[in-house]
Amino acid sequence: MAVTIKDVARAAGVSPSTVCRALSTPELVRAETRERVQRSAAELDYSPNRAARGLITGRTGNLGLIVPDLGNPFFPGVVKGIQARAREADYAVFLADTDEDPAAEAQLVRTLAKQVDGIVLCSPRMSEQELRGVAALTPVVLLNRRVGRLPAITFDNVDGMRQAVTHLTALGHRRIAYVAGPRASWSNRERVRGLRLAIAAAGAELIEVGPVQPQFDGGVAAADQVLAAGVTAVIAYNDVIALGLLSRLNVRGIAVPAAISVLGFDDIALSAMVHPSLTTVGLPMKSCGRAGVDLLLGLLQDPDRFGSTRRELGTQLMVRGSTGPAPSA
Amino acid sequence: MAVTIKDVARAAGVSPSTVCRALSTPELVRAETRERVQRSAAELDYSPNRAARGLITGRTGNLGLIVPDLGNPFFPGVVKGIQARAREADYAVFLADTDEDPAAEAQLVRTLAKQVDGIVLCSPRMSEQELRGVAALTPVVLLNRRVGRLPAITFDNVDGMRQAVTHLTALGHRRIAYVAGPRASWSNRERVRGLRLAIAAAGAELIEVGPVQPQFDGGVAAADQVLAAGVTAVIAYNDVIALGLLSRLNVRGIAVPAAISVLGFDDIALSAMVHPSLTTVGLPMKSCGRAGVDLLLGLLQDPDRFGSTRRELGTQLMVRGSTGPAPSA
DNA sequence: GGAGAGTGTGAAATCCTTTGCGGAGGGTTG
DNA sequence: CAACCCTCCGCAAAGGATTTCACACTCTCC
């Protein structure tokens, strides 16, 4: 059915060994032979069977990618970056969506591990212990989470919060609410840490609300508490929550940003599309994906050098319509 | 390194052949032996190397999935459905994002074809001819597009449009604009077809605007033309365009739905989150993904029976805040 | 002209699993 | 007791590509 190395060998009048060399280590083959083989291969539209190659080389040419929920607009951006970079490097990508289930996550790593050279774990929800366990199984790169010395790409959440708070205090806000994401979330903890630092540095006052589910409804639910707290600005754990806040504030007839400023985190595409558009701390999602693949590939090449590399990517505040001067009391 | 069938064989005191049979065709092995083998396999945490198995059986246990753009919120929904169903059937999924490039699409099919048992093509952008070409290479199921007798899952766009128009005319609208998506898009053509039928049946008037890119900016760009056309309602090719319309209308101070009603297509998650929330024709994205995998797996089992199966999924109008009674002239 | 170095190629082993074939052993039947 | 049948299991081949090893050949130099 499919064209194999033998077909090419026959067509070029050489042995399979020579075909293999002509294609993968051309310098070992006489120019004339090499060209003949390459021509035959092209004519027959031959490409080596990756499974067979993997069997002997021990490398599959595949990467695994595990995400908690593609429905969360944060992830498609990261996935696209991973996709693109992997394809450039001639790797194929296995995708698995866990539906936010930590158990499924561990299970999937185990299943995938045998079919891939390494796995990119996007915002993994499983425990540190489990994470270390699966990292022993196969090369792993963490995205948006840091655990011990495991290779990881993260965002500078602390600085992002600094930018957010600086922006708000410059606008005169002194009492600021934070709608927290899940307690178990690493990035939520980091954001809270950065927030407290920045608030303290600015001499402002922080009111913490939540935690809530990092979904639209979480924001909707938090809005009334935020209003009750009598703040002039609110920072949400992420954009989706912020959108929920905006929606509920609108329903209650509260003007944004005249009466209250709203600030999100992530800069999902949607944030620029709503009205008022959402001021938010932008994370370089695509770069994160690319950097993750780069790190993983480096790690496969040279485990010693990259085995515990961690990179932190910068963030950028996107000032839009949902933040404005604090109302004069 | 990894545990192979030989390790299990040694542990159980049998030959590799017996291990294989005990695990894949248990009825051919004596109960006692079978249990011993299964126990050893479990103890060693053995699972067969899929590449090696694929080499001999000709089946990889993998599916390919090609989408134009994960950033378009329509696709993650479909992908999740595919994901979930494939995992249930013990298939792994290769994902590729083409960034809306028809050439990359064809190229990716060719590359993936050798590593998978079949491919799900999501809203393919390539020409009919190319599509037939790649369908000859490997089993293929089309999602959201129909070409000849190729297996496909589609939505009933015509009926969706009927629902939309019925809704608007019931509200008293008589002059309705349509903001068209790309001319090359199959679903756009279908929607236009359904639209014309429904408009004619209702004795209303249709003004076609565009085509525009199926993105937020496309909607923004189309909004002024829509207003200039003096209509009381506008249907957009999809939700993202509709959101662009809403945004621009808001900027121009036009009240929705008091002055003009806006209606989208797809029911992406975002549609319920904006203000006013978007009335839209909902497509069962997840079901579409699941149905696609079901069809593909059926096709792999029994090509004759499923070789040209096509299914059309129903749609459901979601009435929300962006549509209301036509302003009395 | 023959030894030695160097280059280019093929044969064969290997990766791991599946499967057709056949052998061994036990049981049944005439 | 012989012939036969069944059941259960092992041997060996197959699948496609890579890689080691060794062979054959050319060229150089003494």
Side-chain angles (χ1 to χ4, degrees), chain A residues 1 3 45-52 54-55 60-63 65 68-71 76 79-80 83-84 87 90 92-99 104 108 110-112 114-115 137 216 240 243-244 247 250-251 269-270 272-275 286, chain B residues 1 3 45-52 54-55 60-63 65 68-71 76 79-80 83-84 87 90 92-99 104 108 110-112 114-115 136-137 216 240 243 247 250-251 269-270 272-275 286:
Chain A
M1 188 80 198
V3 34
D45 192 25
Y46 167 77
S47 72
N49 180 320
R50 303 191 108 183
L55 205 50
T60 61
N62 300 329
L63 298 183
L65 169 55
D69 177 18
L70 270 181
V79 173
K80 282 194 75 126
Q83 255 308 294
R87 186 146 71 244
D90 199 28
V93 175
F94 276 116
L95 174 76
D97 178 310
T98 64
D99 266 322
L108 277 167
R110 277 170 223 286
T111 309
L112 272 185
K114 312 207 167 112
Q115 307 183 62
L137 243 56
F216 186 78
V240 179
L243 292 175
S247 169
N250 188 301
V251 167
L270 198 48
M273 302 185 187
V274 295
H275 190 89
K286 225 162 163 176
Chain B
M1 188 81 195
V3 35
D45 192 24
Y46 167 76
S47 73
N49 179 322
R50 301 190 114 188
L55 206 51
T60 61
N62 300 329
L63 297 183
L65 170 55
D69 177 17
L70 270 182
V79 173
K80 281 192 76 121
Q83 254 312 291
R87 185 145 72 246
D90 199 28
V93 175
F94 276 117
L95 174 75
D97 178 312
T98 65
D99 266 322
L108 277 167
R110 277 171 224 287
T111 310
L112 273 186
K114 313 210 167 108
Q115 307 183 62
L137 244 58
F216 186 76
V240 179
L243 292 174
S247 169
N250 188 300
V251 167
L270 198 45
M273 302 185 188
V274 295
H275 192 87
K286 223 161 166 176

Side-chain angles (χ1 to χ4, degrees), chain B residues 113-130:
Chain B
K114 313 210 167 108
Q115 307 183 62
V116 301
D117 296 335
I119 296 184
V120 177
L121 277 171
C122 226
S123 309
R125 312 304 202 203
M126 65 181 119
S127 72
E128 292 206 5
Q129 202 174 5
E130 284 177 304

Side-chain angles (χ1 to χ4, degrees), chain A residues 11 26 47 55 103 114 118 144 170 184 198 206-207 210 237 250 265 272 283 285:
Chain A
S47 72
L55 205 50
K114 312 207 167 112
N144 195 28
L206 175 65
I207 286 88
Y237 162 67
N250 188 301
F265 230 99
L283 310 182
M285 300 178 275

Side-chain angles (χ1 to χ4, degrees), chain A residues 170-194:
Chain A
L171 287 169
H173 297 276
R174 285 282 160 268
R175 247 177 95 78
I176 299 173
Y178 175 68
V179 179
R183 224 184 286 280
S185 155
W186 179 86
S187 53
N188 181 62
R189 289 197 301 273
E190 285 293 294
R191 286 171 198 179
V192 168
R193 188 164 69 85

Side-chain angles (χ1 to χ4, degrees), chain B residues 312-326:
Chain B
E312 192 167 47
L313 305 179
T315 62
Q316 175 62 57
L317 180 71
M318 312 298 289
V319 177
R320 301 212 180 91
S322 66
T323 51

Side-chain angles (χ1 to χ4, degrees), chain A residues 1-197:
Chain A
M1 188 80 198
V3 34
T4 77
I5 201 170
K6 285 184 192 167
D7 301 321
V8 180
R10 206 175 312 121
V14 297
S15 77
S17 333
T18 303
V19 174
C20 178
R21 274 187 287 252
L23 298 177
S24 53
T25 45
E27 67 277 10
L28 290 183
V29 175
R30 186 158 48 110
E32 188 198 334
T33 316
R34 185 199 316 149
E35 280 163 28
R36 191 150 36 92
V37 170
Q38 289 175 341
R39 209 165 31 242
S40 297
E43 275 169 18
L44 296 174
D45 192 25
Y46 167 77
S47 72
N49 180 320
R50 303 191 108 183
R53 167 183 290 174
L55 205 50
I56 188 159
T57 62
R59 288 212 167 184
T60 61
N62 300 329
L63 298 183
L65 169 55
I66 299 185
V67 299
D69 177 18
L70 270 181
N72 179 338
F74 173 76
F75 294 111
V78 180
V79 173
K80 282 194 75 126
I82 289 175
Q83 255 308 294
R85 187 72 191 83
R87 186 146 71 244
E88 284 170 19
D90 199 28
Y91 273 78
V93 175
F94 276 116
L95 174 76
D97 178 310
T98 64
D99 266 322
E100 298 276 0
D101 177 359
E105 220 166 51
Q107 183 51 46
L108 277 167
V109 176
R110 277 170 223 286
T111 309
L112 272 185
K114 312 207 167 112
Q115 307 183 62
V116 301
D117 297 335
I119 295 183
V120 177
L121 277 172
C122 225
S123 309
R125 313 304 201 203
M126 63 181 120
S127 72
E128 292 207 6
Q129 201 172 7
E130 285 177 305
L131 218 34
R132 286 179 209 279
V134 303
L137 243 56
T138 185
V140 158
V141 165
L142 270 37
L143 259 42
N144 195 28
R145 176 152 176 193
R146 196 167 281 198
V147 169
R149 298 183 59 75
L150 293 180
I153 311 285
T154 52
F155 303 106
D156 191 345
N157 288 295
V158 171
D159 185 67
M161 273 300 181
R162 185 194 55 74
Q163 294 180 54
V165 171
T166 304
H167 171 65
L168 289 177
T169 53
L171 287 169
H173 297 276
R174 285 282 160 268
R175 247 177 95 78
I176 299 173
Y178 175 68
V179 179
R183 224 184 286 280
S185 155
W186 179 86
S187 53
N188 181 62
R189 289 197 301 273
E190 285 293 294
R191 286 171 198 179
V192 168
R193 188 164 69 85
L195 182 60
R196 289 192 183 144
L197 285 173

